[in-house]
Amino acid sequence: MIKFSIVTVCLNAGQDLIDTVNSTLGQSYDCFEILVKDGFSADGSTEKLPGDERIRLIQKKDTGIYDAMNQAVEEARGDYLLFMNCGDRFYSSDVLRELADGIGEEMGPVYYGNCYNRPTGQVRAYPKTITRMTCYRTMICHQAMVYRADVLREHPYDCSYRIIADRELLWYLVCERGISPRYLDTVIADYKGGGESARPEHIRRNREDQRRLEQRYFPKSERLKYKLLMALTMQKLRIAWSKSPKLSKYYFALVRFAYGVKDALRGKKQVS
């Protein structure tokens, strides 16, 4: 029976911590542990954690969110890890059961599913195959990724990328290791939105880290090709549509249709 380790890192997260933990405790599949990695919160939130033997509170100083996640990985006892940030929730009570069924006996290294975006009220559309190009143009929601434990122990989050280390991990797996994450057709996360990466004070650092990441994994010619393709397909306008509470519904419907056509064409090509 597959065991999951659900990691929630926190520091003075208040009720958001309790809401996230309760969402995990409400799962119908009960072979899991919850690792609450706390950086010594002073708001009393950890004292309000439910009294459940599946919850393990780990209190250590850390240098940031990804260092905290790495610390939790070292303590994890599960076969697979998911990271559910404070304020985020599982989309339904059957998510872990659906993931266990999807993984089955294959026990692959990395899986991903869909993500419900609370600010827009829409389920985001993701491609069913992650290639180098999809890595470059699309970031799968971290809360919708499922990693086999040994994958994260072999390549922990690179804390030099303070906000986008989850992106570095995906790029490393796909671009350097040649791993193809397997898509599971289930909505995993109910994403609250916001968070560290959305804060205005991090914009400059994000851009610098993104540039450094691109240079690390993509040669200049490939970067130029992808940037041209993204410009021709109106990337900035598409991002604005995807974040609009009014337009995102139509945008993601169109994207899902496009992905469906692409998958159908790929299937025909493989048959022929």
Side-chain angles (χ1 to χ4, degrees), residues 207-249:
R207 287 175 179 170
E208 293 174 352
D209 282 354
Q210 178 68 23
R211 188 180 302 112
R212 182 162 58 96
L213 191 60
E214 291 174 4
Q215 293 172 350
R216 178 175 176 181
Y217 287 107
F218 294 91
K220 186 176 181 179
S221 59
E222 193 173 11
R223 297 198 305 269
L224 291 173
K225 180 178 72 172
Y226 292 155
K227 286 179 180 179
L228 177 60
L229 288 171
M230 291 164 73
L232 291 173
T233 54
M234 301 180 292
Q235 178 198 22
K236 291 183 179 180
L237 183 59
R238 288 188 290 106
I239 291 175
W241 286 345
S242 71
K243 293 181 179 180
S244 169
K246 293 182 179 180
L247 299 176
S248 59
K249 175 181 179 180

Side-chain angles (χ1 to χ4, degrees), residues 99-125:
L99 293 179
D101 290 343
I103 294 170
E105 296 182 358
E106 179 188 49
M107 298 292 284
V110 188
Y111 296 84
Y112 69 104
N114 299 312
C115 173
Y116 172 80
N117 188 283
R118 216 176 301 165
T120 62
Q122 300 300 318
V123 174
R124 289 209 53 165

Side-chain angles (χ1 to χ4, degrees), residues 18-107:
I18 309 305
D19 291 344
T20 299
V21 169
N22 282 333
S23 169
T24 305
L25 290 175
Q27 289 295 297
S28 60
Y29 183 91
D30 62 3
C31 190
F32 66 85
E33 64 175 357
I34 301 174
L35 300 180
V36 176
K37 168 56 191 69
D38 176 61
F40 291 104
S41 293
D43 64 349
S45 55
T46 56
E47 285 82 357
K48 297 177 183 177
L49 286 168
D52 191 295
E53 63 181 8
R54 293 171 293 183
I55 301 173
R56 295 167 57 202
L57 176 61
I58 303 166
Q59 291 186 302
K60 293 181 181 179
K61 287 293 184 182
D62 55 67
T63 60
I65 185 170
Y66 293 110
D67 183 37
M69 289 178 179
N70 284 338
Q71 291 177 5
V73 170
E74 293 176 1
E75 300 282 348
R77 300 169 183 166
D79 304 299
Y80 285 88
L81 288 94
L82 292 87
F83 297 86
M84 201 62 63
N85 291 341
C86 292
D88 300 325
R89 303 186 291 252
F90 282 101
Y91 185 72
S92 77
S93 60
D94 293 324
V95 169
L96 290 183
R97 184 175 301 280
E98 292 169 0
L99 293 179
D101 290 343
I103 294 170
E105 296 182 358
E106 179 188 49
M107 298 292 284

